[in-house]
Amino acid sequence: MSESLTGLELRSTVTSGGELRLDLVEVTLDPPGPDEVIVRVEASPINPSDLGLLLGPADLSTMAAGGTADRPTLTASIPPQRMPAMAARLDESMPVGNEGAGTVVQAGENATALLGRKVGMLGGAMYTQYRKLPVRDCIALPEGASAADGASMFVNPLTALGFTETMKAEGHKALVHTAAASNLGQMLNRICLADGIPLVNIVRSEEQAAILRAIGATHIVDSTAPDFTTTLTDAIAETGATLGFDAIGGGKLAGQILTAMEAAANRNAASYSRYGSTTFKQVYIYGALDLGPTILDRAFGMSWSLGGWLLTPFLQKAGREVTARLRQRVADELTTTFASHYSATISLADVLRPEIVRAYQRKTTGEKYLIDPSA
């Protein structure tokens, strides 16, 4: 009979006194139920979507380290004006980490086939040494795949596939994507190349453009270039893109995409309309690399929409069959289309070290951090 397992888990707490506290808590797991497994977590990425829960709205210039070398703590102040948004999580010690991978060390009676296998996992609380979860939230990794290979097989891959599924469902034929040299952006490029979907990539530097050219991207536009508006409009006119996904969020970029779509649509207009073209244009904001206001200069007619896009609601709407199909494609193409690359692997204790927090919080392209809780 299986025994209880004890390990460390990273927790994030926002106190009613206006402080963020990160610490490592000892957690004991009872043996798994019939349809459950316990996984020794060996790899879990730090995604931008993890940072909201991990760091909250803290002012990181006030970080203070404490505790011991193997059980560190980290605290930071939260500005008073940001506290009302935290009301629902005050004084609750919350586990962090959307996804991960590792080795199944205990299995319930209906899950023994997974014992000793490496699996990818989705379900939260992955910044931990041991994770108990239902079998349905696991995918067995292909033979020879490492935990690092499977650590990021859910959030970014399913998001990228979700973009193309949304495109098809809503009747568009091409895409625009911002922060396009990111890990997710590179996956989206590989999907679009394989599936014959025209894709306009918006980057913020020549270095990022070079990353995309190296993997075969066709339409690459630098938002910092003097001719950005013209080249973006040209690329949209050539591809026919009327759907955009924006990882930036704040600033003018979403509006600039809509404006370029309108300009591209008007290039072949037979007559002028004070209400703009009849071509429907949609931009979804799915990230928050810029936390400032979203600014729209209304130069794109009246046939448009700006909204938010999140993976979980998309999957719920898509249904089980679509979700199963997408997950199977990720598993089949794990080390090719959906390969992830990491700039550093760190321990659970490292996640709480101020100098490392500053590095992963920057969300710099090409600097993706992987946590190995077993280290």
Side-chain angles (χ1 to χ4, degrees):
M1 182 175 178
S2 299
E3 298 179 352
S4 298
L5 289 174
T6 299
L8 296 178
E9 182 172 272
L10 193 156
R11 296 289 187 88
S12 172
T13 306
V14 171
T15 71
S16 52
E19 182 180 75
L20 171 75
R21 179 181 175 85
L22 303 181
D23 54 3
L24 299 178
V25 176
E26 197 170 84
V27 175
T28 298
L29 301 179
D30 293 330
D35 298 300
E36 293 180 323
V37 293
I38 293 181
V39 180
R40 182 179 65 241
V41 184
E42 296 159 355
S44 183
I46 300 179
N47 292 315
S49 56
D50 295 310
L51 295 178
L53 179 58
L54 179 64
L55 301 177
D59 178 358
L60 298 184
S61 68
T62 66
M63 284 189 294
T68 63
D70 59 340
R71 296 287 288 274
T73 62
L74 185 74
T75 57
S77 300
I78 299 175
Q81 66 271 22
R82 298 179 183 175
M83 284 297 291
M86 296 291 102
R89 61 170 290 188
L90 291 181
D91 300 316
E92 182 179 353
S93 177
M94 304 187 74
V96 187
N98 285 319
E99 61 183 337
T103 302
V104 176
V105 294
Q106 290 186 12
E109 60 186 84
N110 298 327
T112 55
L114 287 177
L115 196 59
R117 292 286 303 275
K118 290 194 182 299
V119 296
M121 305 173 285
L122 181 69
M126 294 296 171
Y127 297 171
T128 186
Q129 291 180 323
Y130 294 100
R131 179 70 166 89
K132 182 167 71 172
L133 72 171
V135 172
R136 66 175 180 271
D137 294 334
C138 301
I139 294 181
L141 301 186
E143 195 68 34
S146 67
D149 291 329
S152 295
M153 69 183 299
F154 290 98
V155 175
N156 282 349
L158 292 179
T159 297
L161 287 170
F163 291 170
T164 61
E165 291 291 318
T166 299
M167 179 200 74
K168 297 169 188 174
E170 296 185 0
H172 302 275
K173 66 176 186 179
L175 299 173
V176 178
H177 184 226
T178 72
S182 65
N183 200 291
L184 188 156
Q186 293 178 53
M187 290 182 187
L188 182 60
N189 262 278
R190 291 190 284 265
I191 292 167
C192 289
L193 288 169
D195 295 359
I197 299 171
L199 175 65
V200 178
N201 301 275
I202 299 177
V203 298
R204 291 178 285 182
S205 69
E206 172 54 32
E207 291 77 14
Q208 293 176 0
I211 291 172
L212 292 177
R213 280 196 295 269
I215 62 172
T218 304
H219 302 283
I220 307 169
V221 185
D222 186 347
S223 63
T224 66
D227 62 348
F228 169 60
T229 300
T230 301
T231 55
L232 178 60
T233 304
D234 288 344
I236 289 174
E238 184 175 343
T239 59
T242 50
L243 175 63
F245 289 92
D246 178 29
I248 308 300
K252 295 185 176 183
L253 189 53
Q256 290 172 315
I257 294 170
L258 289 168
T259 298
M261 289 176 176
E262 175 71 2
N266 281 327
R267 285 187 175 181
N268 299 314
S271 60
Y272 168 76
S273 169
R274 74 186 71 182
Y275 303 112
S277 75
T278 58
T279 300
F280 180 70
K281 305 161 288 291
Q282 171 76 55
V283 171
Y284 288 112
I285 293 174
Y286 77 96
L289 296 178
D290 182 341
L291 296 174
T294 303
I295 302 169
L296 299 180
D297 293 326
R298 295 276 301 278
F300 35 78
M302 297 299 292
S303 184
W304 61 275
S305 181
L306 179 70
W309 193 98
L310 286 173
L311 177 60
T312 300
F314 162 77
L315 293 176
Q316 291 171 341
K317 184 178 180 180
R320 289 186 178 182
E321 288 187 10
V322 172
T323 299
R325 171 168 56 82
L326 301 184
R327 286 173 56 152
Q328 187 60 54
R329 180 171 180 179
V330 175
D332 292 342
E333 303 173 30
L334 183 61
T335 59
T336 53
T337 304
F338 302 105
S340 292
H341 305 283
Y342 305 98
S343 57
T345 299
I346 59 178
S347 68
L348 278 177
D350 289 335
V351 180
L352 281 64
R353 305 197 192 286
E355 67 276 13
I356 296 179
V357 174
R358 294 187 189 98
Y360 64 67
Q361 186 272 338
R362 286 195 297 266
K363 296 172 280 191
T364 304
T365 298
E367 292 187 10
K368 189 175 181 67
Y369 281 70
L370 185 70
I371 301 171
D372 179 359
S374 67

